[in-house]
Amino acid sequence: MKLKELIPADGIVEMNADPEQEITGISYDSRRTEPGDLFVAIRGFETDGHRYIAKAAEMGAAAVMCEEKPEQDIPYVRVCDSRLALALASCAFFGHPAEQMRMIGVTGTSGKTSVTTLLKGVLEKTRGAKVGLIGTIGIQIGEEFLPSEHTTPESYELQRLFRHMADEGCSHMVMEVSSHALELQRVAGFRFHTAVYTNLSQDHLDFHGSMENYAAAKRRLFTHCDTACVNLDDAWAQFMIQDHACPVIGFGLNGEAALRAENPRLLPDRVCFDTVYEGRRIPSELKIPGTFSVSNALAVTSAALSEGIAPEESLGALRSAHGVKGRLESVPTDGNYHVLIDYSHKPDALEKVLKSLRPVTRGRLICVFGCGGDRDRLKRPLMGAISGRNADLTILTSDNPRTEDPEAIINEIEAGIRDIGSEYIRICDRIEAIHRAIDLARDGDVILLAGKGHENYQIIGHTKRHMDEVEIVRDYMIDRKARGET
């Protein structure tokens, strides 16, 4: 491919590279640069790609795309925004694969994984579609599963995945679109046919700095979509679609929503409600407990509606849908109590989960959680207070401490729960904390293991160690039985 096919139409400051030069690949990591590559120097959080132009040249880069003129004698294209340039070049290099599929993006603080996973199932059941999925849990291409390091991969990896999905016959692509991805231009260069907004609550303020900046990043998704599906129950909904230029499908329990839920009934293992749309009342059910599951079901139904699927069809498919791994996932126990695993690692998510479990808890509600290290510290006392107000017993423990002292993290969480007056204990070792919660459980109790969800690892320092909470619970049940304690 010639260089002129990869450089952006706008945003070029200067260049000395030959537009006719042949380019055989694209790289943005000098360690992975191969002969003939176009090396794109992007500014990262820990380092600056411009510092590695010499290394890329040594590895055989044919040309460089950058924001600063290189000191080295190498053909270059100087641009205003190298992240945007990388996204546009990647689209072109892989032949604009997004144009061959129906593109659906879901953004919001909570619910993205559940909505994308459930929507994939609806498209498959109602249309027989082969669907690609990209998100927190991983990447799916039909039934093929691939691990993922980020909710939304870097633009080059993203376009490569799109190419693979299109070549494998995917007619639809459903993806979680993070605020980081929107801010860092990872989803630039293509349009979404349908964009879904779930909600907004405090998260990632270590990156965005304020809720206003966080919301503005999310809002970018609705500037390049054909139809917006928006949760009108959320306080930031109108901000998201302010000055929008596309049709909007509003959903929610709000009476003004075109697609709305009425008469929600909460059960220990599901939610039931009536979906109202254009005068029709459709009995609905989703086998995932919690009020937020009603909103997630409506989000899926609205996206399906945007894709030409009637609510009766999508809601029929949702009736047979199973839960999403790590999203209020129920684990078998050895007694008359329940253990649920959920990814709620943010204040709003934890509060929603605890409040949704309270009405269906006959005994005590026990919450086991911690907060991740090297992440937003402001949310730690907030989450402590939330658990203190909504759970009968809180066990403060470790999450992914990363390079922070886990005891110091717990100290900051404890600052929020200390004066609430609710019972709590500290057990830094997460496995020990889970064991203690099970030992303390009585008939009718519900234990919520919050924060890890689908993750089957714990990050301590820079090391990722295997730790699967389903396995921990299961193995402890076996151990208790062997000891004759059940």
Side-chain angles (χ1 to χ4, degrees):
M1 181 172 286
K2 294 187 183 299
L3 177 62
K4 66 181 181 182
E5 299 176 75
L6 299 176
I7 57 179
D10 298 313
I12 298 177
V13 178
E14 62 174 330
M15 62 182 289
N16 71 351
D18 180 1
E20 299 295 326
Q21 184 173 5
E22 287 292 334
I23 299 294
T24 57
I26 297 175
S27 64
Y28 59 93
D29 184 337
S30 62
R31 296 167 297 182
R32 299 179 181 177
T33 301
E34 297 182 358
D37 276 3
L38 170 65
F39 175 71
V40 184
I42 59 176
R43 302 184 194 280
F45 300 110
E46 297 181 358
T47 189
D48 184 346
H50 292 81
R51 295 170 52 191
Y52 300 96
I53 290 176
K55 177 65 175 177
E58 181 183 317
M59 298 291 285
V64 173
M65 191 176 286
C66 50
E67 295 176 14
E68 299 175 4
K69 184 176 180 179
E71 297 178 358
Q72 296 76 22
D73 182 18
I74 186 173
Y76 69 88
V77 179
R78 188 173 162 220
V79 295
C80 296
D81 185 339
S82 56
R83 283 189 177 275
L84 175 60
L86 173 63
L88 299 179
S90 299
C91 288
F93 184 77
F94 289 105
H96 300 280
E99 296 178 3
Q100 300 174 236
M101 299 178 287
R102 295 288 300 179
M103 306 294 290
I104 304 171
V106 181
T107 198
T109 304
S110 304
K112 296 188 297 297
T113 299
S114 294
V115 170
T116 52
T117 303
L118 292 169
L119 181 56
K120 179 178 185 289
V122 167
L123 291 167
E124 291 168 341
K125 290 174 184 176
T126 64
R127 291 295 180 264
K130 185 169 184 178
V131 184
L133 183 148
I134 299 173
T136 306
I137 291 179
I139 297 159
Q140 287 181 265
I141 303 174
E143 297 302 317
E144 180 186 1
F145 182 85
L146 303 170
S148 176
E149 289 295 323
H150 303 285
T151 298
T152 311
E154 186 56 77
S155 57
Y156 176 80
E157 280 74 27
L158 191 62
Q159 293 299 323
R160 181 170 59 184
L161 284 169
F162 290 169
R163 180 73 274 158
H164 184 33
M165 290 175 179
D167 290 347
E168 289 295 313
C170 289
S171 57
H172 294 72
M173 195 291 308
V174 182
M175 68 179 291
E176 299 179 42
V177 186
S178 68
S179 58
H180 289 73
L182 289 159
E183 188 73 25
L184 300 176
Q185 304 283 13
R186 291 176 185 167
V187 292
F190 65 94
R191 288 184 66 81
F192 287 94
H193 296 95
T194 299
V196 182
Y197 171 70
T198 59
N199 51 63
L200 196 76
S201 60
Q202 182 173 323
D203 196 31
H204 302 307
L205 297 192
D206 53 329
F207 176 76
H208 294 289
S210 69
M211 285 296 293
E212 288 72 20
N213 291 341
Y214 181 34
K218 294 287 190 186
R219 183 181 175 182
R220 291 186 180 190
L221 179 61
F222 303 98
T223 63
H224 56 283
C225 70
D226 296 333
T227 302
C229 301
V230 178
N231 178 12
L232 296 183
D233 294 335
D234 186 77
W236 291 89
Q238 295 304 321
F239 175 82
M240 292 296 157
I241 55 175
Q242 184 179 329
D243 300 324
H244 64 278
C246 66
V248 175
I249 300 175
F251 65 86
L253 283 76
N254 186 319
E256 298 179 359
L259 179 73
R260 66 184 184 276
E262 295 182 353
N263 306 318
R265 284 90 69 197
L266 305 179
L267 300 170
D269 62 343
R270 69 191 65 205
V271 290
C272 300
F273 55 98
D274 296 328
T275 299
V276 179
Y277 180 69
E278 293 186 341
R280 309 195 300 277
R281 184 173 294 273
I282 309 160
S284 310
E285 177 183 293
L286 183 61
K287 294 184 178 69
I288 305 175
T291 306
F292 54 85
S293 288
V294 179
S295 292
N296 289 345
L298 291 175
V300 172
T301 305
S302 67
L305 184 61
S306 173
E307 292 297 313
I309 302 171
E312 289 83 354
E313 286 187 87
S314 54
L315 289 163
L318 286 176
R319 277 183 168 272
S320 60
H322 296 289
V324 179
K325 181 172 176 57
R327 269 58 179 179
L328 274 182
E329 180 180 2
S330 179
V331 185
T333 68
D334 54 13
N336 190 25
Y337 63 95
H338 301 276
V339 174
L340 299 170
I341 296 174
D342 193 77
Y343 191 50
S344 44
H345 61 291
K346 308 160 189 170
D348 182 63
L350 183 64
E351 185 169 31
K352 285 180 178 177
V353 170
L354 289 171
K355 285 185 174 180
S356 70
L357 291 176
R358 173 57 68 190
V360 298
T361 301
R362 293 189 296 107
R364 297 174 304 163
L365 183 53
I366 301 172
C367 180
V368 181
F369 86 99
C371 290
D374 303 332
R375 297 295 186 270
D376 183 7
R377 294 176 59 182
L378 297 176
K379 70 181 183 181
R380 295 172 185 174
L382 297 178
M383 293 181 69
I386 286 168
S387 186
R389 288 193 298 263
N390 293 282
D392 298 297
L393 170 63
T394 300
I395 301 179
L396 303 179
T397 188
S398 186
D399 191 280
N400 292 319
R402 299 184 178 86
T403 64
E404 286 193 63
D405 176 2
E407 292 285 2
I409 295 174
I410 293 176
N411 288 343
E412 294 186 358
I413 303 171
E414 187 180 16
I417 196 174
R418 187 183 296 117
D419 298 328
I420 296 291
S422 175
E423 184 180 358
Y424 74 92
I425 56 179
R426 297 173 52 132
I427 303 175
C428 189
D429 184 285
R430 193 174 182 95
I431 295 176
E432 183 183 340
I434 294 170
H435 290 173
R436 178 72 65 85
I438 292 171
D439 287 339
L440 292 172
R442 303 193 291 256
D443 284 358
D445 286 356
V446 171
I447 300 171
L448 174 67
L449 308 181
K452 297 292 292 174
H454 62 280
E455 294 179 353
N456 61 358
Y457 58 83
Q458 185 177 43
I459 304 173
I460 299 176
H462 296 287
T463 303
K464 183 183 287 188
R465 306 176 184 182
H466 180 78
M467 190 181 76
D468 187 312
E469 293 189 331
V470 174
E471 294 176 3
I472 292 169
V473 174
R474 181 198 63 203
D475 292 348
Y476 196 56
M477 300 295 161
I478 295 172
D479 186 49
R480 277 160 53 101
K481 184 176 181 180
R483 299 198 308 262
E485 296 180 3
T486 60

